[in-house]
mmCIF file of all heavy atoms in Angstrom:
data_model
loop_
_atom_site.group_PDB
_atom_site.id
_atom_site.type_symbol
_atom_site.label_atom_id
_atom_site.label_comp_id
_atom_site.label_asym_id
_atom_site.label_seq_id
_atom_site.Cartn_x
_atom_site.Cartn_y
_atom_site.Cartn_z
ATOM 1 N N GLU A 227 59.856 -12.551 61.096
ATOM 2 C CA GLU A 227 60.746 -13.597 61.609
ATOM 3 C C GLU A 227 60.525 -13.821 63.101
ATOM 4 O O GLU A 227 60.562 -14.963 63.574
ATOM 5 C CB GLU A 227 62.201 -13.215 61.347
ATOM 6 C CG GLU A 227 62.640 -13.412 59.920
ATOM 7 C CD GLU A 227 62.666 -14.883 59.534
ATOM 8 O OE1 GLU A 227 63.354 -15.673 60.209
ATOM 9 O OE2 GLU A 227 61.974 -15.246 58.566
ATOM 10 N N ALA A 228 60.298 -12.758 63.838
ATOM 11 C CA ALA A 228 60.035 -12.899 65.268
ATOM 12 C C ALA A 228 58.756 -13.690 65.506
ATOM 13 O O ALA A 228 58.710 -14.600 66.344
ATOM 14 C CB ALA A 228 59.927 -11.520 65.923
ATOM 15 N N ALA A 229 57.716 -13.369 64.740
ATOM 16 C CA ALA A 229 56.414 -14.019 64.944
ATOM 17 C C ALA A 229 56.430 -15.477 64.501
ATOM 18 O O ALA A 229 55.884 -16.350 65.181
ATOM 19 C CB ALA A 229 55.333 -13.241 64.200
ATOM 20 N N VAL A 230 57.054 -15.759 63.362
ATOM 21 C CA VAL A 230 56.975 -17.109 62.808
ATOM 22 C C VAL A 230 57.863 -18.079 63.587
ATOM 23 O O VAL A 230 57.619 -19.291 63.574
ATOM 24 C CB VAL A 230 57.328 -17.100 61.305
ATOM 25 C CG1 VAL A 230 58.828 -17.100 61.059
ATOM 26 C CG2 VAL A 230 56.671 -18.274 60.571
ATOM 27 N N CYS A 231 58.888 -17.568 64.269
ATOM 28 C CA CYS A 231 59.817 -18.430 65.009
ATOM 29 C C CYS A 231 59.610 -18.383 66.521
ATOM 30 O O CYS A 231 60.380 -18.996 67.263
ATOM 31 C CB CYS A 231 61.267 -18.027 64.699
ATOM 32 S SG CYS A 231 61.762 -18.191 62.985
ATOM 33 N N TRP A 232 58.610 -17.632 66.984
ATOM 34 C CA TRP A 232 58.490 -17.434 68.421
ATOM 35 C C TRP A 232 58.309 -18.767 69.149
ATOM 36 O O TRP A 232 57.541 -19.611 68.697
ATOM 37 C CB TRP A 232 57.298 -16.504 68.705
ATOM 38 C CG TRP A 232 57.330 -15.971 70.104
ATOM 39 C CD1 TRP A 232 56.638 -16.424 71.171
ATOM 40 C CD2 TRP A 232 58.151 -14.883 70.554
ATOM 41 N NE1 TRP A 232 56.962 -15.694 72.275
ATOM 42 C CE2 TRP A 232 57.889 -14.750 71.934
ATOM 43 C CE3 TRP A 232 59.079 -14.046 69.951
ATOM 44 C CZ2 TRP A 232 58.520 -13.786 72.709
ATOM 45 C CZ3 TRP A 232 59.705 -13.095 70.710
ATOM 46 C CH2 TRP A 232 59.428 -12.966 72.071
ATOM 47 N N ASP A 233 59.058 -19.093 70.328
ATOM 48 C CA ASP A 233 59.891 -18.099 70.943
ATOM 49 C C ASP A 233 61.298 -18.675 71.145
ATOM 50 O O ASP A 233 61.709 -18.934 72.263
ATOM 51 C CB ASP A 233 59.197 -17.606 72.208
ATOM 52 C CG ASP A 233 59.638 -18.122 73.559
ATOM 53 O OD1 ASP A 233 59.354 -19.263 73.925
ATOM 54 O OD2 ASP A 233 60.254 -17.307 74.252
ATOM 55 N N ASP A 234 62.039 -18.832 70.057
ATOM 56 C CA ASP A 234 63.422 -19.290 70.157
ATOM 57 C C ASP A 234 64.368 -18.086 70.182
ATOM 58 O O ASP A 234 63.938 -16.929 70.132
ATOM 59 C CB ASP A 234 63.775 -20.265 69.024
ATOM 60 C CG ASP A 234 63.681 -19.650 67.634
ATOM 61 O OD1 ASP A 234 63.609 -18.402 67.519
ATOM 62 O OD2 ASP A 234 63.697 -20.412 66.644
ATOM 63 N N ASP A 235 65.652 -18.357 70.281
ATOM 64 C CA ASP A 235 66.637 -17.267 70.392
ATOM 65 C C ASP A 235 66.615 -16.355 69.164
ATOM 66 O O ASP A 235 66.743 -15.131 69.283
ATOM 67 C CB ASP A 235 68.049 -17.838 70.580
ATOM 68 C CG ASP A 235 68.237 -18.470 71.947
ATOM 69 O OD1 ASP A 235 67.425 -18.190 72.853
ATOM 70 O OD2 ASP A 235 69.190 -19.263 72.113
ATOM 71 N N HIS A 236 66.458 -16.977 67.975
ATOM 72 C CA HIS A 236 66.407 -16.181 66.749
ATOM 73 C C HIS A 236 65.237 -15.210 66.787
ATOM 74 O O HIS A 236 65.369 -14.029 66.416
ATOM 75 C CB HIS A 236 66.283 -17.110 65.535
ATOM 76 C CG HIS A 236 66.083 -16.394 64.236
ATOM 77 N ND1 HIS A 236 67.087 -15.655 63.628
ATOM 78 C CD2 HIS A 236 64.979 -16.274 63.429
ATOM 79 C CE1 HIS A 236 66.622 -15.136 62.501
ATOM 80 N NE2 HIS A 236 65.356 -15.483 62.364
ATOM 81 N N ALA A 237 64.077 -15.669 67.262
ATOM 82 C CA ALA A 237 62.895 -14.809 67.333
ATOM 83 C C ALA A 237 63.136 -13.634 68.281
ATOM 84 O O ALA A 237 62.749 -12.492 67.987
ATOM 85 C CB ALA A 237 61.684 -15.619 67.783
ATOM 86 N N HIS A 238 63.775 -13.885 69.410
ATOM 87 C CA HIS A 238 64.049 -12.801 70.352
ATOM 88 C C HIS A 238 65.002 -11.773 69.747
ATOM 89 O O HIS A 238 64.823 -10.565 69.937
ATOM 90 C CB HIS A 238 64.616 -13.374 71.654
ATOM 91 C CG HIS A 238 63.580 -14.007 72.532
ATOM 92 N ND1 HIS A 238 62.887 -13.299 73.484
ATOM 93 C CD2 HIS A 238 63.108 -15.279 72.579
ATOM 94 C CE1 HIS A 238 62.041 -14.105 74.100
ATOM 95 N NE2 HIS A 238 62.151 -15.322 73.568
ATOM 96 N N ARG A 239 66.009 -12.263 69.013
ATOM 97 C CA ARG A 239 66.940 -11.331 68.358
ATOM 98 C C ARG A 239 66.224 -10.495 67.301
ATOM 99 O O ARG A 239 66.462 -9.286 67.167
ATOM 100 C CB ARG A 239 68.097 -12.099 67.718
ATOM 101 C CG ARG A 239 69.086 -12.676 68.716
ATOM 102 C CD ARG A 239 70.356 -13.124 68.021
ATOM 103 N NE ARG A 239 70.121 -14.164 67.039
ATOM 104 C CZ ARG A 239 70.131 -15.477 67.306
ATOM 105 N NH1 ARG A 239 70.372 -15.899 68.553
ATOM 106 N NH2 ARG A 239 69.919 -16.358 66.347
ATOM 107 N N GLN A 240 65.325 -11.136 66.548
ATOM 108 C CA GLN A 240 64.590 -10.406 65.513
ATOM 109 C C GLN A 240 63.649 -9.367 66.127
ATOM 110 O O GLN A 240 63.551 -8.241 65.640
ATOM 111 C CB GLN A 240 63.810 -11.377 64.628
ATOM 112 C CG GLN A 240 64.671 -12.249 63.745
ATOM 113 C CD GLN A 240 65.480 -11.426 62.761
ATOM 114 O OE1 GLN A 240 64.940 -10.672 61.963
ATOM 115 N NE2 GLN A 240 66.796 -11.566 62.827
ATOM 116 N N LEU A 241 62.962 -9.747 67.205
ATOM 117 C CA LEU A 241 62.051 -8.793 67.838
ATOM 118 C C LEU A 241 62.824 -7.590 68.382
ATOM 119 O O LEU A 241 62.326 -6.458 68.344
ATOM 120 C CB LEU A 241 61.268 -9.470 68.961
ATOM 121 C CG LEU A 241 60.199 -8.605 69.642
ATOM 122 C CD1 LEU A 241 59.179 -8.090 68.625
ATOM 123 C CD2 LEU A 241 59.508 -9.381 70.750
ATOM 124 N N ALA A 242 64.054 -7.822 68.851
ATOM 125 C CA ALA A 242 64.873 -6.719 69.348
ATOM 126 C C ALA A 242 65.197 -5.710 68.244
ATOM 127 O O ALA A 242 65.496 -4.542 68.524
ATOM 128 C CB ALA A 242 66.161 -7.257 69.951
ATOM 129 N N GLU A 243 65.117 -6.148 66.969
ATOM 130 C CA GLU A 243 65.381 -5.252 65.834
ATOM 131 C C GLU A 243 64.166 -4.384 65.502
ATOM 132 O O GLU A 243 64.292 -3.399 64.760
ATOM 133 C CB GLU A 243 65.756 -6.081 64.605
ATOM 134 C CG GLU A 243 67.042 -6.871 64.732
ATOM 135 C CD GLU A 243 68.267 -5.975 64.819
ATOM 136 O OE1 GLU A 243 68.283 -4.951 64.096
ATOM 137 O OE2 GLU A 243 69.168 -6.271 65.600
ATOM 138 N N VAL A 244 63.000 -4.768 65.991
ATOM 139 C CA VAL A 244 61.766 -4.038 65.655
ATOM 140 C C VAL A 244 61.597 -2.877 66.636
ATOM 141 O O VAL A 244 61.510 -3.072 67.855
ATOM 142 C CB VAL A 244 60.534 -4.977 65.712
ATOM 143 C CG1 VAL A 244 59.274 -4.211 65.309
ATOM 144 C CG2 VAL A 244 60.741 -6.180 64.807
ATOM 145 N N ARG A 245 61.526 -1.682 66.112
ATOM 146 C CA ARG A 245 61.466 -0.491 66.967
ATOM 147 C C ARG A 245 60.126 -0.385 67.701
ATOM 148 O O ARG A 245 59.123 -0.978 67.301
ATOM 149 C CB ARG A 245 61.681 0.769 66.121
ATOM 150 C CG ARG A 245 63.097 0.874 65.552
ATOM 151 C CD ARG A 245 63.350 2.269 64.980
ATOM 152 N NE ARG A 245 62.491 2.568 63.858
ATOM 153 C CZ ARG A 245 62.783 2.267 62.590
ATOM 154 N NH1 ARG A 245 63.896 1.624 62.303
ATOM 155 N NH2 ARG A 245 61.969 2.602 61.615
ATOM 156 N N ALA A 246 60.152 0.396 68.743
ATOM 157 C CA ALA A 246 58.940 0.661 69.515
ATOM 158 C C ALA A 246 57.884 1.325 68.630
ATOM 159 O O ALA A 246 58.214 1.954 67.613
ATOM 160 C CB ALA A 246 59.248 1.549 70.710
ATOM 161 N N VAL A 247 56.628 1.207 69.024
ATOM 162 C CA VAL A 247 55.511 1.667 68.203
ATOM 163 C C VAL A 247 55.664 3.121 67.787
ATOM 164 O O VAL A 247 55.533 3.479 66.616
ATOM 165 C CB VAL A 247 54.173 1.448 68.945
ATOM 166 C CG1 VAL A 247 53.027 2.078 68.165
ATOM 167 C CG2 VAL A 247 53.925 -0.031 69.161
ATOM 168 N N GLY A 248 56.009 3.998 68.713
ATOM 169 C CA GLY A 248 56.113 5.415 68.394
ATOM 170 C C GLY A 248 57.275 5.749 67.487
ATOM 171 O O GLY A 248 57.309 6.828 66.884
ATOM 172 N N ALA A 249 58.234 4.800 67.345
ATOM 173 C CA ALA A 249 59.418 5.061 66.518
ATOM 174 C C ALA A 249 59.232 4.608 65.085
ATOM 175 O O ALA A 249 60.079 4.890 64.233
ATOM 176 C CB ALA A 249 60.638 4.374 67.121
#
Side-chain angles (χ1 to χ4, degrees):
E227 283 293 304
V230 82
C231 298
W232 195 261
D233 101 286
D234 62 14
D235 289 343
H236 174 71
H238 284 270
R239 288 194 299 271
Q240 291 298 302
L241 184 58
E243 296 293 321
V244 182
R245 293 192 296 272
V247 173

